[in-house]
Amino acid sequence: MDLRIEKTLAAIRNAFLQLRARKPLEKITVKELSALANINKATFYLHYHDIYDLSESLEREVVNECFKGVDDSSMILNDVGQLLKCMEQNILMNEQLIKILFEGSRSTSFTEIFEKELYSRIFRSHPDYVPTEEGRMMMTFLIHGAYYTYFQNTEKGIQPVLALIEKLSGGLVKFD
């Protein structure tokens, strides 16, 4: 990618994150973001359809970063504890971005994107895998419950929540 484009995208991203840390997504305008990023509005629209497109793009990036290094989908199906150990550092490194991007009206987006990516990785390497209804419900419970628990106890950080998921999943989850 051209260096100028990389710098422009970084400026857009940084400006968006600064604004998003201070205000709800619905209150951010392209005009305001463009001024902060020191670009014109037309440049913004060369890369994104609107503020929501930018937000969704960054949200998917953060979730994908959480999965970085998780290439073995059998780990997802058989050892949630090991999966969490692989993901823990990535989640910790992205904790601040998760807090910023998924606040307010976007709070349910993390779990939706995360769950979709999780199943996408499973189906990519196990196309004939059919999860049981109970397995799907358990996965949904763990993902959504953990996320809600984290945001209710955000001052404690993510590590206690990850430890709780590992503890719960060890005795409860059987996906095969």
Side-chain angles (χ1 to χ4, degrees), residues 159-175:
Q159 285 183 307
V161 176
L162 292 174
L164 179 62
I165 298 168
E166 186 175 349
K167 184 177 178 181
L168 286 172
S169 65
L172 298 175
V173 181
K174 303 289 182 252
F175 294 106

Side-chain angles (χ1 to χ4, degrees), residues 43-69:
T43 302
F44 174 86
Y45 287 115
L46 281 174
H47 302 285
Y48 302 100
H49 296 296
D50 54 25
I51 291 292
Y52 296 95
D53 182 34
L54 168 59
S55 183
E56 290 167 8
S57 175
L58 292 175
E59 290 167 5
R60 283 189 304 275
E61 277 181 35
V62 168
V63 169
N64 280 323
E65 279 296 312
C66 291
F67 279 98
K68 201 175 199 173

Side-chain angles (χ1 to χ4, degrees), residues 63 66 98 102 106-115 147:
V63 169
C66 291
I98 292 168
F102 297 101
R106 302 302 297 171
S107 64
T108 60
S109 297
F110 180 82
T111 54
E112 292 166 4
I113 296 167
F114 188 93
E115 191 168 12
Y147 186 73

Side-chain angles (χ1 to χ4, degrees), residues 6 8 11 15 17 22-23 33 48 50 74 82 88 99 118 123 126 134 136-138 153 157 164 168:
E6 284 183 36
T8 299
L17 291 172
R22 295 192 323 247
K23 58 188 353 183
L33 184 140
Y48 302 100
D50 54 25
S74 62
Q82 185 61 35
E88 183 175 17
K99 285 180 183 178
L118 188 71
F123 294 137
H126 296 78
E134 185 179 84
R136 220 181 236 288
M137 287 191 298
M138 186 58 69
N153 301 281
L164 179 62
L168 286 172

Side-chain angles (χ1 to χ4, degrees), residues 28-154:
I28 299 172
T29 65
V30 172
K31 180 179 180 180
E32 174 183 38
L33 184 140
S34 298
L36 187 58
N38 202 23
I39 60 169
N40 62 48
K41 285 174 34 175
T43 302
F44 174 86
Y45 287 115
L46 281 174
H47 302 285
Y48 302 100
H49 296 296
D50 54 25
I51 291 292
Y52 296 95
D53 182 34
L54 168 59
S55 183
E56 290 167 8
S57 175
L58 292 175
E59 290 167 5
R60 283 189 304 275
E61 277 181 35
V62 168
V63 169
N64 280 323
E65 279 296 312
C66 291
F67 279 98
K68 201 175 199 173
V70 178
D71 300 321
D72 181 10
S73 66
S74 62
M75 183 191 316
I76 297 168
L77 295 172
N78 301 317
D79 193 348
V80 175
Q82 185 61 35
L83 170 68
L84 290 174
K85 281 182 178 62
C86 286
M87 295 180 75
E88 183 175 17
Q89 193 60 37
N90 296 334
I91 292 170
L92 288 170
M93 286 175 33
N94 289 288
E95 185 174 7
Q96 202 56 37
L97 278 175
I98 292 168
K99 285 180 183 178
I100 291 170
L101 290 171
F102 297 101
E103 288 262 317
S105 66
R106 302 302 297 171
S107 64
T108 60
S109 297
F110 180 82
T111 54
E112 292 166 4
I113 296 167
F114 188 93
E115 191 168 12
K116 190 179 208 177
E117 180 60 27
L118 188 71
Y119 280 110
S120 172
R121 287 171 180 266
I122 292 170
F123 294 137
R124 227 180 342 234
S125 58
H126 296 78
D128 52 343
Y129 173 72
V130 179
T132 64
E133 185 176 329
E134 185 179 84
R136 220 181 236 288
M137 287 191 298
M138 186 58 69
M139 187 71 80
T140 299
F141 174 78
L142 286 171
I143 293 167
H144 292 261
Y147 186 73
Y148 181 79
T149 302
Y150 169 66
F151 268 98
Q152 292 300 308
N153 301 281
T154 190

